[in-house]
Amino acid sequence: MERILRNSEAPEIIPCDFSSPLLFYPIRHHSPVCSFQLVRTIEEYKPDIVLIEGPENANGLIPVLTDENTTLPAAFYYFYKDTKKLVSDDAKDYKCYYPFVYSSPEYNALVSAKKLNIPAKFIDLPYCEILIATAENNGLRKNSDKHSYADDSYLVQNRFYEKICEKTGLRSFEEFWEKYFETAGIFLTPQQFIKQMHTYCRFTRDDVSQEEMIADGTSARENHMAVRIIEAMQEYRRVLVVTGGFHCIGLYNLVNSGKKIKSPRLHKMPETHHGCFPMAYSYEAADALHGYSSGMSFPYFYDCAMKKLLESNSPEGVYNGITLDFLVRTQKEAVKKDIAVSIADITSAHTLMNGLAALRNAKECGISELFDGVISTFIKGERTVSTSIPLDILSKLATGDKIGAIGDKSHVPPLITDFEKNCKKLNIKYETAVPKNIENALFTSAKGMETSRFLHRMDFLGTGFAKMLKGPDLHKNKDRSRVREEWKYRRTPNVDACLIDHTTDGFTIEEACSSVAARKLMSERRCETAAQISVDCFLMGIPMQQAELAQIEDILINDGDFFSVGRGMHSFEILYSLQNLYGFEDKSSLAHLTRCFDKLVSSLPSMANTPPERGEECITVMKYMYGIVGNILSERLDDFRQALITMSEAPAKEPSVFGAAMGILYSIEPERRDDAENAMKGYLRGSPEIKKQGAEYLKGLFGTARDIVLIDDRFLRMTDELVQSMDYEDFLEILPSLRLSFSCFTPNEIQSTAEIIAGMYNSDGGDITDMPAVDERLFFFGEKLDREIFALMGKEDMLE
């Protein structure tokens, strides 16, 4: 490092004097060397108080984090509901994580202070105040899926490190950091290490303008922290300040400026609008390679290194030992997957790692040498998807798959406690971030139904904990006959964060789901969505209260959308037919079903002239209604029949809807066959444009009464007449409708129809049905074209 800085003008560096009443200790978040040297610094400096960068409204949770029963990774979860629009006019809800692993300097500072029985405090602005002081798209207000309080982006992304890598031939910041800090820094004295950190951080700060620091909230935060430092110096004799290295020079200048520092004014807010909770976290979420901007890559590897450093009398050989250990573990896991990796390969890799470390002038082997060793010796030949399995194994081992646990449950939100309680009761393994599969039989035991309801509840709350892979899908009315479910579940920090967000909805998962369902209904105006919420409650095993049932009834009365009511009626029909099967006592779905049906019957005549683009939807609703009067509401059959007659007599009719109505009327009263035939004759006698509508009429007619074709050949002859009367261009135009007309026929019905057509032309039925097979490659090419077309249209769901 000294050689790199040799030709640079030395900047002003913060003094590192262990006899001073104030000592600034610079860190990179989650760095083992920073933690190791910090522990040594605390032992040597012997402070009276330790001040740590972190939102100060979490000070009450410090004992929870340092509790002997708490297992890392863990995190503080901050939330802020901007109902007063202090951040922006959007009134958004904000959240972020402050993760801790065993290699986190902040955690080690807290543990060391606890051992010495001295106070330790966070001194940064509360999370909500940082947001208020930050400009849009900056700092914690950046558009990102994962928001972390700790941010090392200034240390990791700067022109200074890029120049260093350019001079030394290093490939990345992580390789630079490991060589000059992680593996080399453990051999320095605390004073030497602090000076080196201050030097690097000072150069990186020179690359950031004052305007940038104001925009991302850095200036406001440093002003607040400086005020807290000065307050501590007035009360304590020796003060140790532990902050990100980027802030040290700013805080040093503020504290020593001799000027009165103006801290941002703190806003008064209800406790329900902001707060902080401890939560379990995962190594995967704390990994820089999985989107955590301030994380060290491969956190479990560095946690192992940190534990070894604290246990060893000397740092000598710690990294060499850790890398060898992970090399052996990678070989063992590779052998389990039938990957040919021998002891000789381990020896070759270890030799190569040591050689690379010597060549790169590194003190010991690090993660870079470990990966290079595996790539060169475990992966023989060209690196491909199949041959790179050992590398994937090493990545997973070094990242870690464990999830922490909070020891003191008194500060854990009740929903998380109830979640863990349910998981234990149902034998669901929630302690790991590795995805697990569970097959669940619904009816063989009470536990099966209980497990299903719990997983559906977690899905309803939007936790992302579980996803059903196979099983009855009552929302889409698919696979209703299945009696087993297959779920894939996985606990991530987002699961806990989501449960914390729902803390105000109840003390148990069931209460929270009930509250969320009631809230959704209160803001809902569409029948189909209200019915879907009813389906959700059924799947979750949560009976609706009288207030929710009254709200659904109000929605049904006021929803004037025919199609919304039709889809809602279908959902209520599914509920009614399955409630007895599932042993669910709530019978309100029958009342809702009846209400929907009566509304649709009164509206059906007005749907005669439905727009062509919605004709298929209208026919689907009519089919639902016909199925219901034939099964559940048989007493409403005459009302339905009369509505169809009135609809068929309307002066303007959409042909496919008209055909569907005539088909259903024929199914109810077979003597109406002549009426259906006469209607088709009317299309045949019309102009070319009217004849085209005849194809649509047949599509609707066959869709609701396909047996009308099989009684005799009259409708097929009319279809033939329709085709014969058209020129080629008109025929191509109606061809899609004709094809859809026969798409509802079964294979046996198609064979029977072919025989009738063959008789009309004095031919053999086999000549029609036995066509040459379509080339399989052509079929798959057509399927690919369909997918691309639907993707461009934004209608991928139509392919399901």
Side-chain angles (χ1 to χ4, degrees), residues 53-70:
E53 178 190 346
E56 61 185 11
N57 56 324
N59 278 326
L61 299 180
I62 291 176
V64 180
L65 186 65
T66 58
D67 186 280
E68 60 182 9
N69 294 317
T70 293

Side-chain angles (χ1 to χ4, degrees), residues 60-325:
L61 299 180
I62 291 176
V64 180
L65 186 65
T66 58
D67 186 280
E68 60 182 9
N69 294 317
T70 293
T71 303
L72 302 188
F76 290 157
Y77 173 81
Y78 297 89
F79 72 92
Y80 171 55
K81 300 179 184 296
D82 189 31
T83 54
K84 294 184 177 181
K85 300 182 179 181
L86 298 174
V87 177
S88 72
D89 292 334
D90 297 332
K92 293 181 179 178
D93 292 345
Y94 297 89
K95 62 183 180 181
C96 81
Y97 305 94
Y98 188 177
F100 300 90
V101 292
Y102 289 106
S103 57
S104 300
E106 300 93 334
Y107 173 76
N108 285 280
L110 294 171
V111 171
S112 296
K114 181 179 180 181
K115 289 179 180 178
L116 295 174
N117 198 26
I118 60 173
K121 295 180 180 179
F122 293 121
I123 58 171
D124 201 352
L125 282 170
Y127 172 59
C128 56
E129 301 293 347
I130 297 175
L131 288 170
I132 294 170
T134 303
E136 187 176 3
N137 293 328
N138 285 270
L140 288 175
R141 292 184 62 192
K142 287 180 181 177
N143 294 323
S144 172
D145 291 334
K146 294 184 179 180
H147 289 282
S148 171
Y149 161 77
D151 188 355
D152 280 330
S153 56
Y154 285 141
L155 295 184
V156 175
Q157 302 167 8
N158 59 80
R159 287 181 294 178
F160 178 59
Y161 116 77
E162 291 173 357
K163 289 292 183 183
I164 293 175
C165 288
E166 184 181 320
K167 282 189 175 185
T168 60
L170 296 172
R171 294 167 292 186
S172 65
F173 173 81
E174 295 300 338
E175 192 171 322
F176 153 74
W177 177 266
E178 187 173 56
K179 176 180 178 179
Y180 288 108
F181 288 91
E182 290 301 339
T183 56
I186 57 178
F187 296 100
L188 302 176
T189 66
Q191 292 89 339
Q192 290 171 329
F193 178 77
I194 292 172
K195 182 179 179 181
Q196 182 162 303
M197 278 290 294
H198 279 319
T199 302
Y200 175 75
C201 295
R202 180 67 174 83
F203 274 110
T204 61
R205 189 168 175 114
D206 285 345
D207 201 32
V208 183
S209 68
Q210 186 63 31
E211 290 74 18
E212 289 177 281
M213 288 190 283
I214 292 173
D216 67 10
T218 296
S219 294
R221 293 171 58 197
E222 290 181 352
N223 282 345
H224 186 78
M225 287 192 282
V227 169
R228 293 291 184 254
I229 292 169
I230 293 172
E231 290 173 352
M233 291 178 67
Q234 293 170 355
E235 185 177 354
Y236 297 94
R237 187 173 57 88
R238 294 168 70 79
V239 178
L240 175 63
V241 179
V242 180
T243 68
F246 182 84
H247 297 297
C248 284
I249 187 64
L251 293 172
Y252 174 79
N253 290 336
L254 285 170
V255 171
N256 291 280
S257 66
K259 300 177 182 178
K260 184 176 181 181
I261 304 169
K262 186 177 180 181
S263 177
R265 179 179 63 87
L266 302 184
H267 298 78
K268 291 184 179 180
M269 298 178 190
E271 290 185 3
T272 54
H273 289 182
H274 75 111
C276 176
F277 290 97
M279 58 176 281
Y281 211 64
S282 70
Y283 277 115
E284 183 182 63
D287 181 17
L289 298 179
H290 286 81
Y292 174 37
S293 60
S294 297
M296 294 279 288
S297 300
F298 312 113
Y300 181 66
F301 172 86
Y302 285 113
D303 260 13
C304 292
M306 183 64 204
K307 291 179 180 179
K308 287 290 185 182
L309 286 170
L310 294 178
E311 293 169 359
S312 304
N313 295 324
S314 168
E316 187 79 37
V318 166
Y319 271 96
N320 283 338
I322 289 292
T323 51
L324 178 59
D325 177 55

Side-chain angles (χ1 to χ4, degrees), residues 324-379:
L324 178 59
D325 177 55
F326 273 83
L327 184 66
V328 173
R329 291 170 63 184
T330 301
Q331 185 267 345
K332 289 181 178 179
E333 291 299 320
V335 170
K336 290 179 182 178
K337 295 181 180 294
D338 296 325
I339 306 297
V341 180
S342 65
I343 301 299
D345 292 327
I346 296 179
T347 303
S348 298
H350 189 233
T351 302
L352 179 63
M353 288 160 49
N354 287 314
L356 287 173
L359 185 64
R360 293 166 179 172
N361 200 28
K363 291 285 186 180
E364 293 192 4
C365 294
I367 196 77
S368 300
E369 287 73 32
L370 175 58
F371 271 86
D372 288 340
V374 169
I375 291 172
S376 299
T377 58
F378 286 17
I379 299 174

Side-chain angles (χ1 to χ4, degrees), residues 26 53 132 389 398 406 480 558 788:
E53 178 190 346
I132 294 170
I389 292 177
I406 301 300
R480 283 170 50 175
N558 292 291
E788 292 186 1

Side-chain angles (χ1 to χ4, degrees), residues 355-613:
L356 287 173
L359 185 64
R360 293 166 179 172
N361 200 28
K363 291 285 186 180
E364 293 192 4
C365 294
I367 196 77
S368 300
E369 287 73 32
L370 175 58
F371 271 86
D372 288 340
V374 169
I375 291 172
S376 299
T377 58
F378 286 17
I379 299 174
K380 301 173 177 64
E382 184 181 357
R383 181 175 168 183
T384 64
V385 174
S386 59
T387 60
S388 63
I389 292 177
L391 198 62
D392 296 335
I393 293 171
L394 175 57
S395 295
K396 290 178 180 179
L397 289 174
T399 298
D401 60 11
K402 292 182 174 62
I403 287 180
I406 301 300
D408 182 359
K409 299 295 184 182
S410 60
H411 292 275
V412 174
L415 282 185
I416 293 181
T417 302
D418 187 60
F419 161 75
E420 294 179 349
K421 176 182 175 183
N422 277 281
C423 286
K424 290 177 181 176
K425 179 182 177 182
L426 300 171
N427 294 324
I428 295 174
K429 299 177 181 179
Y430 65 93
E431 301 92 346
T432 175
V434 177
K436 301 285 185 181
N437 281 48
I438 180 173
E439 290 192 7
N440 184 46
L442 294 173
F443 304 112
T444 56
S445 66
K447 181 183 175 182
M449 185 61 68
E450 193 175 356
T451 300
S452 174
R453 289 172 174 174
F454 171 70
L455 295 175
H456 276 295
R457 290 171 187 177
M458 294 298 293
D459 183 48
F460 181 73
L461 292 177
T463 63
F465 176 67
K467 179 182 180 181
M468 189 169 71
L469 304 177
K470 296 178 182 178
D473 186 343
L474 303 191
H475 286 293
K476 296 181 179 179
N477 195 27
K478 292 181 178 179
D479 301 324
R480 283 170 50 175
S481 61
R482 286 183 179 269
V483 295
R484 296 181 68 85
E485 294 176 335
E486 183 180 344
W487 291 81
K488 188 174 187 177
Y489 67 91
R490 178 190 186 200
R491 186 179 185 180
T492 64
N494 185 67
V495 174
D496 294 58
C498 187
L499 292 176
I500 292 172
D501 289 340
H502 284 293
T503 294
T504 56
D505 291 320
F507 290 97
T508 66
I509 302 294
E510 181 176 352
E511 288 178 6
C513 290
S514 182
S515 298
V516 171
R519 187 166 62 247
K520 284 184 176 182
L521 283 173
M522 289 302 294
S523 61
E524 190 51 56
R525 294 293 178 268
R526 292 180 62 79
C527 173
E528 61 178 317
T529 310
Q532 290 295 309
I533 295 172
S534 297
V535 171
D536 285 325
C537 290
F538 169 71
L539 292 171
M540 295 185 292
I542 298 176
M544 287 192 169
Q545 303 301 315
Q546 196 60 43
E548 285 84 63
L549 296 176
Q551 179 64 21
I552 293 177
E553 187 70 12
D554 184 63
I555 293 171
L556 301 187
I557 291 172
N558 292 291
D559 189 357
D561 186 339
F562 179 86
F563 303 105
S564 172
V565 175
R567 286 188 287 268
M569 176 190 69
H570 184 51
S571 295
F572 287 126
E573 178 195 5
I574 294 170
L575 279 182
Y576 178 75
S577 61
L578 291 178
Q579 279 171 343
N580 288 333
L581 176 64
Y582 280 71
F584 205 68
E585 296 180 358
D586 181 15
K587 303 297 182 183
S588 60
S589 56
L590 179 59
H592 299 324
L593 167 64
T594 306
R595 170 72 71 180
C596 289
F597 185 88
D598 290 344
K599 283 198 71 172
L600 292 172
V601 164
S602 62
S603 302
L604 192 56
S606 65
M607 300 304 295
N609 199 24
T610 300
E613 64 272 13

